[in-house]
Amino acid sequence: MALINETNGSSLSGLVGRVVVVKTKWGSYMRSAPQYSKSSWTDSQKVHRQRFKRVSEFCRQFRETVIPQIWKDTNVRASGYALFLKANMQAFSSQGELTDPALVKLSTGVLEFPQGLQLNAAQLMEGRLTVSWPDAGSGIRWRDELMAIATGEGHYSDILNTGILRGQKGGSFELPELKTDATHLYLFFGSKDRRSYSDSECYSLINAS
């Protein structure tokens, strides 16, 4: 193991070839990277790797839609993809199966999601939904727009901008286009400039009509 002297506030860490550089309060150290093989993995490690693989496969489908639009700038210390994956680990079992669509988090941010938002699916057979909420917010928040993502049988729609503003306290919109019948709907709000979002809330459409 070798110590690397640092000057002018420089910092070095990470893996270089078969050498890993580790930063401590005393400086950066170089040491041989540990060697692992599949035969050295414990049962617990194998289960974790399988779960991580399945969650990664789930998250990759949002690389061109949800992640760059909503999650990219939520934390300067980590990538939007890493944050999205971490937030959605809770929705998967140790075997990597999606346990509950309501645990999936498609949006995050500082905007408030309206308390008491109600979803009326009476027109679901015609592909329309009605929403309402009691509080219009105040000031610039009146212009926050309701957004939606539909899901069914493992498929997810693109983000739908419904055109319904927070200040309107509700309205109706067409269900987002999806390859299969929708079973759940994720609703959230985005600011007019699309720089801020709210957390998403999941609503079941099964037997809703």
Side-chain angles (χ1 to χ4, degrees):
M1 182 168 63
L3 172 65
I4 302 173
N5 292 321
E6 301 174 353
T7 59
N8 300 323
S10 61
S11 177
L12 181 65
S13 64
L15 181 66
V16 181
R18 303 184 71 173
V19 175
V20 63
V21 182
V22 181
K23 182 175 175 57
T24 71
K25 65 181 179 180
W26 298 283
S28 294
Y29 289 83
M30 297 177 62
R31 66 188 184 198
S32 298
Q35 300 297 307
Y36 297 106
S37 65
K38 291 184 178 180
S39 61
S40 66
W41 296 344
T42 65
D43 290 341
S44 178
Q45 288 173 323
K46 291 176 182 178
V47 169
H48 177 75
R49 288 177 66 89
Q50 178 63 23
R51 181 190 185 204
F52 187 85
K53 178 181 177 181
R54 296 292 294 274
V55 178
S56 295
E57 291 172 351
F58 169 82
C59 292
R60 278 196 292 270
Q61 66 185 305
F62 300 99
R63 277 188 179 275
E64 305 299 324
T65 55
V66 170
I67 294 174
Q69 181 168 335
I70 300 174
W71 294 76
K72 180 179 179 181
D73 298 321
T74 55
N75 189 323
V76 296
R77 294 178 178 270
S79 70
Y81 180 83
L83 293 169
F84 184 72
L85 187 149
K86 181 179 180 180
N88 284 289
M89 287 289 287
Q90 62 177 349
F92 291 79
S93 69
S94 58
Q95 288 74 37
E97 300 296 331
L98 178 61
T99 58
D100 186 354
L103 296 177
V104 171
K105 191 174 183 180
L106 295 183
S107 177
T108 189
V110 298
L111 298 186
E112 182 180 357
F113 191 88
Q115 295 290 327
L117 186 147
Q118 298 292 320
L119 176 66
N120 187 330
Q123 294 179 293
L124 184 59
M125 294 298 293
E126 289 77 39
R128 293 192 66 82
L129 296 165
T130 300
V131 292
S132 62
W133 53 90
D135 186 5
S138 61
I140 196 172
R141 296 280 70 86
W142 289 347
R143 296 186 289 175
D144 294 343
E145 183 178 357
L146 180 67
M147 310 175 84
I149 296 175
T151 182
E153 298 182 16
H155 298 283
Y156 290 79
S157 73
D158 290 337
I159 298 174
L160 172 71
N161 303 325
T162 67
I164 302 172
L165 304 184
R166 188 191 296 268
Q168 296 173 313
K169 297 198 293 187
S172 63
F173 62 96
E174 291 188 2
L175 192 68
E177 292 186 8
L178 195 64
K179 295 178 181 179
T180 61
D181 291 337
T183 59
H184 293 81
L185 186 72
Y186 297 89
L187 298 177
F188 52 97
F189 281 80
S191 61
K192 184 177 180 180
D193 60 9
R194 295 298 187 264
R195 299 179 68 176
S196 301
Y197 295 86
S198 74
D199 287 349
S200 57
E201 293 288 339
C202 180
Y203 294 83
S204 176
L205 300 179
I206 301 174
N207 300 323
S209 59

